[in-house]
Amino acid sequence: MGSSNLMDAPDRTFRLRLASESPRRRELLKLTGWDFSTTASHVDETIDSEEPPLEAARRLARVKAQAVPAEPGEWVLAADTIVVHGGRILGKPADDAEAEAMLIELRGGEHEVVTALTLIEPVSGDSIEDVCTTSVPMRDYSLEEVRQYVATGSPFDKAGGYGIQEASFHPVRSAEMQGCYANVMGLPLCHLVRTARGLGYEPPADVPASCMAYLDFDCKVYPAILRGEA
């Protein structure tokens, strides 16, 4: 996690502008208790095939944050989530065939989900970043299940072609997952909390408790994340 000279930020209300209109990110951000508004970033999210996944996520989060205007006193929050399998980045599928191919590629194995976070204060230009990586075990779903899921249209706005929260498809072996569940949804909340603490802000809510209750997931890693160890 990197930052500029931000540790002595004044004690004031932490107001955020989320550079996304993702309903999943909005739902998760509400769990912090912080006030926020949303503005879509509308940036080119093309990733060069030679670009390392971690650097791609960091770059895109930074570009998204820089593209969104904010009111004085607001911090712009941007996130970029990518799915990595076998060293290859899987983006959002363009059509049914690509969605089906992605899901077949991922089934029964493990892959990584990487989310980079960027917070920018546009007036001063100060910024701070963090990144979260989660190893995701997938269940051995059938081809028929894949086709039924693709027919819903749900895969097309999701990196890797799936949503971990999809109750009807439930593609992930969630009980075996050791990392941050919220990260796989697109916004690692405890990483956001520790980043905000670097700016001198605490969330109004008990974020780990709120997140676990909302996701119905017993998270084992949040203490290490909040200590800066994961």
Side-chain angles (χ1 to χ4, degrees):
M1 181 171 65
S3 69
S4 55
N5 298 323
L6 300 170
M7 298 303 292
D8 298 322
D11 184 16
R12 63 183 188 276
T13 301
F14 192 39
R15 291 189 291 117
L16 291 168
R17 184 172 294 269
L18 177 64
S20 172
E21 293 183 338
S22 163
R24 296 172 296 280
R25 289 190 175 125
R26 289 200 303 266
E27 290 168 8
L28 289 170
L29 189 53
K30 286 177 183 177
L31 300 178
T32 66
W34 281 314
D35 292 330
F36 70 94
S37 57
T38 61
T39 302
S41 55
H42 300 302
V43 300
D44 181 3
E45 298 187 38
T46 303
I47 297 174
D48 188 284
S49 60
E50 300 299 316
E51 190 172 15
L54 181 59
E55 293 308 310
R58 287 184 181 276
R59 176 182 62 81
L60 287 173
R62 194 178 308 119
V63 168
K64 289 177 182 180
Q66 292 169 340
V68 170
E71 298 295 327
E74 285 184 329
W75 284 84
V76 177
L77 167 64
D80 189 75
T81 301
I82 60 175
V83 171
V84 184
H85 185 245
R88 186 168 67 90
I89 297 174
L90 302 183
K92 299 173 184 176
D95 53 33
D96 288 13
E98 189 173 13
E100 184 176 310
M102 283 184 184
L103 291 166
I104 294 302
E105 177 182 342
L106 294 175
R107 73 175 174 182
E110 290 197 12
H111 61 275
E112 289 188 332
V113 173
V114 178
T115 299
L117 300 176
T118 295
L119 280 162
I120 290 180
E121 205 285 306
V123 175
S124 66
D126 286 334
S127 67
I128 189 167
E129 299 179 352
D130 206 344
V131 65
C132 177
T133 300
T134 302
S135 195
V136 182
M138 301 290 273
R139 69 182 182 88
D140 192 17
Y141 38 76
S142 68
L143 178 57
E144 180 59 28
E145 286 179 289
V146 168
R147 289 176 173 166
Q148 289 177 359
Y149 179 56
V150 170
T152 69
S154 187
F156 302 111
D157 67 340
K158 300 173 179 68
Y162 75 92
I164 189 173
Q165 73 280 5
E166 302 281 359
S168 60
F169 183 41
H170 57 94
V172 176
R173 304 196 308 269
S174 300
E176 299 174 31
M177 194 172 71
Q178 300 298 311
C180 176
Y181 189 116
N183 175 47
V184 187
M185 287 183 66
L187 191 64
L189 292 180
C190 288
H191 284 74
L192 176 59
V193 168
R194 77 181 187 187
T195 304
R197 285 176 175 171
L199 302 171
Y201 299 107
E202 286 286 336
D206 180 339
V207 171
S210 297
C211 186
M212 287 189 287
Y214 177 74
L215 299 175
D216 191 25
F217 180 73
D218 183 16
C219 180
K220 306 295 186 184
V221 297
Y222 78 84
I225 292 171
L226 293 176
R227 291 193 302 265
E229 299 170 359

PDB file of all heavy atoms in Angstrom, residues 161-183:
ATOM      1  N   GLY A 161     -16.902 -13.929 -16.060  1.00  0.00           N
ATOM      2  CA  GLY A 161     -18.205 -14.446 -16.460  1.00  0.00           C
ATOM      3  C   GLY A 161     -19.072 -14.990 -15.342  1.00  0.00           C
ATOM      4  O   GLY A 161     -20.065 -15.669 -15.618  1.00  0.00           O
ATOM      5  N   TYR A 162     -18.750 -14.693 -14.081  1.00  0.00           N
ATOM      6  CA  TYR A 162     -19.580 -15.213 -12.994  1.00  0.00           C
ATOM      7  C   TYR A 162     -19.628 -14.224 -11.841  1.00  0.00           C
ATOM      8  O   TYR A 162     -18.767 -13.353 -11.697  1.00  0.00           O
ATOM      9  CB  TYR A 162     -19.024 -16.549 -12.474  1.00  0.00           C
ATOM     10  CG  TYR A 162     -17.785 -16.398 -11.611  1.00  0.00           C
ATOM     11  CD1 TYR A 162     -17.882 -16.269 -10.222  1.00  0.00           C
ATOM     12  CD2 TYR A 162     -16.515 -16.353 -12.178  1.00  0.00           C
ATOM     13  CE1 TYR A 162     -16.741 -16.106  -9.437  1.00  0.00           C
ATOM     14  CE2 TYR A 162     -15.388 -16.191 -11.406  1.00  0.00           C
ATOM     15  CZ  TYR A 162     -15.496 -16.066 -10.038  1.00  0.00           C
ATOM     16  OH  TYR A 162     -14.382 -15.887  -9.250  1.00  0.00           O
ATOM     17  N   GLY A 163     -20.658 -14.376 -11.011  1.00  0.00           N
ATOM     18  CA  GLY A 163     -20.761 -13.641  -9.755  1.00  0.00           C
ATOM     19  C   GLY A 163     -20.767 -14.629  -8.611  1.00  0.00           C
ATOM     20  O   GLY A 163     -21.561 -15.572  -8.607  1.00  0.00           O
ATOM     21  N   ILE A 164     -19.890 -14.423  -7.629  1.00  0.00           N
ATOM     22  CA  ILE A 164     -19.808 -15.344  -6.501  1.00  0.00           C
ATOM     23  C   ILE A 164     -21.116 -15.387  -5.723  1.00  0.00           C
ATOM     24  O   ILE A 164     -21.465 -16.394  -5.103  1.00  0.00           O
ATOM     25  CB  ILE A 164     -18.635 -14.957  -5.564  1.00  0.00           C
ATOM     26  CG1 ILE A 164     -18.400 -16.033  -4.503  1.00  0.00           C
ATOM     27  CG2 ILE A 164     -18.845 -13.586  -4.952  1.00  0.00           C
ATOM     28  CD1 ILE A 164     -17.169 -15.798  -3.649  1.00  0.00           C
ATOM     29  N   GLN A 165     -21.886 -14.301  -5.787  1.00  0.00           N
ATOM     30  CA  GLN A 165     -23.117 -14.189  -5.017  1.00  0.00           C
ATOM     31  C   GLN A 165     -24.331 -14.784  -5.720  1.00  0.00           C
ATOM     32  O   GLN A 165     -25.438 -14.740  -5.180  1.00  0.00           O
ATOM     33  CB  GLN A 165     -23.389 -12.713  -4.694  1.00  0.00           C
ATOM     34  CG  GLN A 165     -23.849 -11.871  -5.889  1.00  0.00           C
ATOM     35  CD  GLN A 165     -22.730 -11.425  -6.804  1.00  0.00           C
ATOM     36  OE1 GLN A 165     -21.584 -11.803  -6.630  1.00  0.00           O
ATOM     37  NE2 GLN A 165     -23.067 -10.594  -7.787  1.00  0.00           N
ATOM     38  N   GLU A 166     -24.155 -15.355  -6.908  1.00  0.00           N
ATOM     39  CA  GLU A 166     -25.286 -15.866  -7.681  1.00  0.00           C
ATOM     40  C   GLU A 166     -25.873 -17.118  -7.017  1.00  0.00           C
ATOM     41  O   GLU A 166     -25.313 -18.210  -7.116  1.00  0.00           O
ATOM     42  CB  GLU A 166     -24.834 -16.216  -9.105  1.00  0.00           C
ATOM     43  CG  GLU A 166     -24.228 -15.060  -9.871  1.00  0.00           C
ATOM     44  CD  GLU A 166     -25.279 -14.119 -10.437  1.00  0.00           C
ATOM     45  OE1 GLU A 166     -26.479 -14.390 -10.244  1.00  0.00           O
ATOM     46  OE2 GLU A 166     -24.896 -13.135 -11.079  1.00  0.00           O
ATOM     47  N   ALA A 167     -26.996 -16.961  -6.345  1.00  0.00           N
ATOM     48  CA  ALA A 167     -27.576 -18.064  -5.565  1.00  0.00           C
ATOM     49  C   ALA A 167     -28.039 -19.217  -6.442  1.00  0.00           C
ATOM     50  O   ALA A 167     -27.933 -20.387  -6.057  1.00  0.00           O
ATOM     51  CB  ALA A 167     -28.740 -17.543  -4.730  1.00  0.00           C
ATOM     52  N   SER A 168     -28.541 -18.915  -7.633  1.00  0.00           N
ATOM     53  CA  SER A 168     -29.065 -19.981  -8.480  1.00  0.00           C
ATOM     54  C   SER A 168     -27.965 -20.820  -9.114  1.00  0.00           C
ATOM     55  O   SER A 168     -28.140 -22.009  -9.373  1.00  0.00           O
ATOM     56  CB  SER A 168     -29.958 -19.391  -9.582  1.00  0.00           C
ATOM     57  OG  SER A 168     -29.213 -18.491 -10.387  1.00  0.00           O
ATOM     58  N   PHE A 169     -26.803 -20.212  -9.326  1.00  0.00           N
ATOM     59  CA  PHE A 169     -25.693 -20.905  -9.971  1.00  0.00           C
ATOM     60  C   PHE A 169     -24.625 -21.342  -8.958  1.00  0.00           C
ATOM     61  O   PHE A 169     -23.995 -22.381  -9.116  1.00  0.00           O
ATOM     62  CB  PHE A 169     -25.081 -19.985 -11.030  1.00  0.00           C
ATOM     63  CG  PHE A 169     -23.970 -20.599 -11.840  1.00  0.00           C
ATOM     64  CD1 PHE A 169     -24.039 -21.915 -12.287  1.00  0.00           C
ATOM     65  CD2 PHE A 169     -22.849 -19.848 -12.180  1.00  0.00           C
ATOM     66  CE1 PHE A 169     -23.005 -22.475 -13.043  1.00  0.00           C
ATOM     67  CE2 PHE A 169     -21.825 -20.395 -12.931  1.00  0.00           C
ATOM     68  CZ  PHE A 169     -21.899 -21.712 -13.354  1.00  0.00           C
ATOM     69  N   HIS A 170     -24.429 -20.530  -7.925  1.00  0.00           N
ATOM     70  CA  HIS A 170     -23.425 -20.753  -6.857  1.00  0.00           C
ATOM     71  C   HIS A 170     -22.170 -21.450  -7.378  1.00  0.00           C
ATOM     72  O   HIS A 170     -21.872 -22.592  -7.040  1.00  0.00           O
ATOM     73  CB  HIS A 170     -24.043 -21.507  -5.667  1.00  0.00           C
ATOM     74  CG  HIS A 170     -24.675 -22.831  -5.985  1.00  0.00           C
ATOM     75  ND1 HIS A 170     -23.992 -24.018  -5.867  1.00  0.00           N
ATOM     76  CD2 HIS A 170     -25.918 -23.164  -6.396  1.00  0.00           C
ATOM     77  CE1 HIS A 170     -24.776 -25.024  -6.198  1.00  0.00           C
ATOM     78  NE2 HIS A 170     -25.951 -24.529  -6.520  1.00  0.00           N
ATOM     79  N   PRO A 171     -21.373 -20.748  -8.198  1.00  0.00           N
ATOM     80  CA  PRO A 171     -20.248 -21.393  -8.866  1.00  0.00           C
ATOM     81  C   PRO A 171     -19.042 -21.680  -7.974  1.00  0.00           C
ATOM     82  O   PRO A 171     -18.195 -22.497  -8.330  1.00  0.00           O
ATOM     83  CB  PRO A 171     -19.863 -20.381  -9.938  1.00  0.00           C
ATOM     84  CG  PRO A 171     -20.271 -19.062  -9.366  1.00  0.00           C
ATOM     85  CD  PRO A 171     -21.514 -19.339  -8.593  1.00  0.00           C
ATOM     86  N   VAL A 172     -18.961 -20.997  -6.822  1.00  0.00           N
ATOM     87  CA  VAL A 172     -17.759 -21.076  -5.990  1.00  0.00           C
ATOM     88  C   VAL A 172     -17.969 -22.023  -4.810  1.00  0.00           C
ATOM     89  O   VAL A 172     -19.048 -22.052  -4.207  1.00  0.00           O
ATOM     90  CB  VAL A 172     -17.386 -19.669  -5.475  1.00  0.00           C
ATOM     91  CG1 VAL A 172     -16.186 -19.727  -4.519  1.00  0.00           C
ATOM     92  CG2 VAL A 172     -17.093 -18.736  -6.647  1.00  0.00           C
ATOM     93  N   ARG A 173     -16.924 -22.777  -4.471  1.00  0.00           N
ATOM     94  CA  ARG A 173     -16.940 -23.589  -3.260  1.00  0.00           C
ATOM     95  C   ARG A 173     -16.611 -22.663  -2.089  1.00  0.00           C
ATOM     96  O   ARG A 173     -15.501 -22.649  -1.542  1.00  0.00           O
ATOM     97  CB  ARG A 173     -15.930 -24.740  -3.359  1.00  0.00           C
ATOM     98  CG  ARG A 173     -16.135 -25.629  -4.576  1.00  0.00           C
ATOM     99  CD  ARG A 173     -15.412 -26.974  -4.478  1.00  0.00           C
ATOM    100  NE  ARG A 173     -14.002 -26.860  -4.153  1.00  0.00           N
ATOM    101  CZ  ARG A 173     -13.008 -26.768  -5.039  1.00  0.00           C
ATOM    102  NH1 ARG A 173     -13.291 -26.731  -6.346  1.00  0.00           N
ATOM    103  NH2 ARG A 173     -11.749 -26.712  -4.656  1.00  0.00           N
ATOM    104  N   SER A 174     -17.609 -21.877  -1.695  1.00  0.00           N
ATOM    105  CA  SER A 174     -17.383 -20.789  -0.745  1.00  0.00           C
ATOM    106  C   SER A 174     -16.868 -21.281   0.600  1.00  0.00           C
ATOM    107  O   SER A 174     -16.045 -20.610   1.245  1.00  0.00           O
ATOM    108  CB  SER A 174     -18.682 -19.995  -0.541  1.00  0.00           C
ATOM    109  OG  SER A 174     -19.124 -19.439  -1.761  1.00  0.00           O
ATOM    110  N   ALA A 175     -17.330 -22.442   1.044  1.00  0.00           N
ATOM    111  CA  ALA A 175     -16.912 -22.951   2.348  1.00  0.00           C
ATOM    112  C   ALA A 175     -15.419 -23.249   2.388  1.00  0.00           C
ATOM    113  O   ALA A 175     -14.825 -23.282   3.470  1.00  0.00           O
ATOM    114  CB  ALA A 175     -17.709 -24.204   2.700  1.00  0.00           C
ATOM    115  N   GLU A 176     -14.805 -23.451   1.228  1.00  0.00           N
ATOM    116  CA  GLU A 176     -13.377 -23.760   1.169  1.00  0.00           C
ATOM    117  C   GLU A 176     -12.519 -22.531   0.897  1.00  0.00           C
ATOM    118  O   GLU A 176     -11.288 -22.612   0.941  1.00  0.00           O
ATOM    119  CB  GLU A 176     -13.127 -24.796   0.074  1.00  0.00           C
ATOM    120  CG  GLU A 176     -13.851 -26.117   0.293  1.00  0.00           C
ATOM    121  CD  GLU A 176     -13.682 -27.062  -0.883  1.00  0.00           C
ATOM    122  OE1 GLU A 176     -12.624 -27.002  -1.550  1.00  0.00           O
ATOM    123  OE2 GLU A 176     -14.605 -27.855  -1.134  1.00  0.00           O
ATOM    124  N   MET A 177     -13.151 -21.411   0.626  1.00  0.00           N
ATOM    125  CA  MET A 177     -12.396 -20.209   0.280  1.00  0.00           C
ATOM    126  C   MET A 177     -11.809 -19.572   1.530  1.00  0.00           C
ATOM    127  O   MET A 177     -12.508 -19.377   2.523  1.00  0.00           O
ATOM    128  CB  MET A 177     -13.306 -19.210  -0.447  1.00  0.00           C
ATOM    129  CG  MET A 177     -12.554 -18.100  -1.145  1.00  0.00           C
ATOM    130  SD  MET A 177     -13.631 -17.077  -2.169  1.00  0.00           S
ATOM    131  CE  MET A 177     -14.560 -16.215  -0.912  1.00  0.00           C
ATOM    132  N   GLN A 178     -10.533 -19.230   1.473  1.00  0.00           N
ATOM    133  CA  GLN A 178      -9.829 -18.698   2.640  1.00  0.00           C
ATOM    134  C   GLN A 178      -9.693 -17.175   2.608  1.00  0.00           C
ATOM    135  O   GLN A 178      -9.402 -16.571   3.638  1.00  0.00           O
ATOM    136  CB  GLN A 178      -8.436 -19.328   2.726  1.00  0.00           C
ATOM    137  CG  GLN A 178      -8.445 -20.840   2.853  1.00  0.00           C
ATOM    138  CD  GLN A 178      -9.132 -21.322   4.108  1.00  0.00           C
ATOM    139  OE1 GLN A 178      -8.855 -20.837   5.210  1.00  0.00           O
ATOM    140  NE2 GLN A 178     -10.054 -22.263   3.954  1.00  0.00           N
ATOM    141  N   GLY A 179      -9.877 -16.566   1.475  1.00  0.00           N
ATOM    142  CA  GLY A 179      -9.612 -15.136   1.341  1.00  0.00           C
ATOM    143  C   GLY A 179     -10.852 -14.273   1.468  1.00  0.00           C
ATOM    144  O   GLY A 179     -11.894 -14.696   1.963  1.00  0.00           O
ATOM    145  N   CYS A 180     -10.732 -13.039   0.992  1.00  0.00           N
ATOM    146  CA  CYS A 180     -11.780 -12.025   1.117  1.00  0.00           C
ATOM    147  C   CYS A 180     -12.896 -12.269   0.102  1.00  0.00           C
ATOM    148  O   CYS A 180     -12.682 -12.198  -1.111  1.00  0.00           O
ATOM    149  CB  CYS A 180     -11.175 -10.642   0.907  1.00  0.00           C
ATOM    150  SG  CYS A 180     -12.380  -9.303   0.923  1.00  0.00           S
ATOM    151  N   TYR A 181     -14.085 -12.546   0.610  1.00  0.00           N
ATOM    152  CA  TYR A 181     -15.267 -12.780  -0.226  1.00  0.00           C
ATOM    153  C   TYR A 181     -15.684 -11.488  -0.925  1.00  0.00           C
ATOM    154  O   TYR A 181     -15.997 -11.483  -2.125  1.00  0.00           O
ATOM    155  CB  TYR A 181     -16.392 -13.301   0.671  1.00  0.00           C
ATOM    156  CG  TYR A 181     -17.638 -13.803  -0.004  1.00  0.00           C
ATOM    157  CD1 TYR A 181     -18.019 -15.137   0.107  1.00  0.00           C
ATOM    158  CD2 TYR A 181     -18.478 -12.957  -0.714  1.00  0.00           C
ATOM    159  CE1 TYR A 181     -19.183 -15.615  -0.483  1.00  0.00           C
ATOM    160  CE2 TYR A 181     -19.642 -13.423  -1.305  1.00  0.00           C
ATOM    161  CZ  TYR A 181     -19.989 -14.745  -1.189  1.00  0.00           C
ATOM    162  OH  TYR A 181     -21.141 -15.206  -1.771  1.00  0.00           O
ATOM    163  N   ALA A 182     -15.683 -10.380  -0.189  1.00  0.00           N
ATOM    164  CA  ALA A 182     -16.105  -9.104  -0.774  1.00  0.00           C
ATOM    165  C   ALA A 182     -15.213  -8.709  -1.941  1.00  0.00           C
ATOM    166  O   ALA A 182     -15.670  -8.054  -2.893  1.00  0.00           O
ATOM    167  CB  ALA A 182     -16.107  -8.007   0.290  1.00  0.00           C
ATOM    168  N   ASN A 183     -13.949  -9.098  -1.894  1.00  0.00           N
ATOM    169  CA  ASN A 183     -13.047  -8.826  -3.007  1.00  0.00           C
ATOM    170  C   ASN A 183     -13.554  -9.454  -4.290  1.00  0.00           C
ATOM    171  O   ASN A 183     -13.492  -8.846  -5.365  1.00  0.00           O
ATOM    172  CB  ASN A 183     -11.651  -9.369  -2.684  1.00  0.00           C
ATOM    173  CG  ASN A 183     -10.687  -9.219  -3.840  1.00  0.00           C
ATOM    174  OD1 ASN A 183     -10.586  -8.165  -4.452  1.00  0.00           O
ATOM    175  ND2 ASN A 183      -9.974 -10.295  -4.155  1.00  0.00           N
TER     176      ASN A 183
END
